[in-house]
């Protein structure tokens, strides 16, 4: 059940990070005014990603990979590329992605000019998007393979 929630919530997370990043990019390059809708979309990305981390953490301790880690030890996990990805790389890199979004969101508020606000969000959200895209297990997610 929680795996399913984590899996479907990821669709919302991915969509909103892409939208928020593209929105900031467009705003930056076309030197737009930073409006309420720009704040809302960036904030929405912040909220949905934080929720995903909580769901991910909840799922982690019930996941098969965690049970394998408990039964066989960390060394066993680290020697296997696929298990290492699931147990270590995916969680850490995703948390880092959310940290980038959090930093980007809080830094943009301190910027004076609208263009600097868009620039800050563009930089941090793009970085986060790259991490998320790199760490989604595409071959298993939603039976995509
Ligand atoms: C922005 C944050 C995150 C996104 C977008 C995300 C996305 C995903 C997706 C799409 C899957 C595949 C689900 C499936 O195959 O049905 C997955 C699996 C998983 N996630 Fe996350 N996740 C995030 C954060 C986290 C965090 C913080 C943790 C743990 C602390 C976590 C733990 C797991 C585990 C254990 C799996 C199953 C193993 C695997 O297939 O890699 N996730 N995640």
């Amino acid at each position: 059940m929680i795996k399913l929630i984590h899996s479907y919530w990821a669709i919302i997370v991915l969509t909103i990070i892409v939208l928020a990043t593209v929105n900031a990019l467009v705003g930056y390059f076309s030197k737009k005014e930073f409006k309420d809708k720009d704040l809302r979309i960036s904030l929405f990305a912040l909220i949905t990603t934080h929720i995903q981390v909580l769901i991910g953490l909840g799922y982690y301790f019930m996941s098969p990979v965690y049970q394998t880690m408990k039964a066989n030890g960390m060394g066993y996990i680290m020697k296997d590329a696929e298990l290492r990805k699931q147990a270590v790389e995916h969680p850490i890199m995703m948390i880092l992605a959310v940290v980038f979004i959090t930093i980007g969101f809080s830094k943009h508020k301190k910027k004076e000019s609208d263009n600097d606000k868009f620039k800050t969000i563009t930089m941090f959200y793009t970085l986060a998007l790259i991490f998320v895209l790199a760490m989604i297990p595409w071959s298993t997610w939603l039976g995509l393979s």
Side-chain angles (χ1 to χ4, degrees), residues 1-7 59:
M1 179 63 184
I2 191 155
K3 178 176 184 194
L4 219 61
I5 299 173
H6 189 66
S7 183
Y59 172 51

Side-chain angles (χ1 to χ4, degrees), residues 20-21 24-25 27-28 34 42 100-128:
T21 307
L25 259 169
Y28 175 63
F34 193 89
S42 333
F100 289 141
I101 289 182
T102 312
I103 297 174
F105 188 82
S106 74
K107 273 190 179 296
H108 102 274
K109 288 192 289 188
K110 297 180 193 106
K111 301 290 175 190
E112 297 284 331
S113 79
D114 287 1
N115 210 237
D116 280 349
K117 284 182 193 287
F118 280 125
K119 186 179 168 189
T120 309
I121 293 178
T122 301
M123 284 183 340
F124 284 95
Y125 281 38
T126 302
L127 210 56

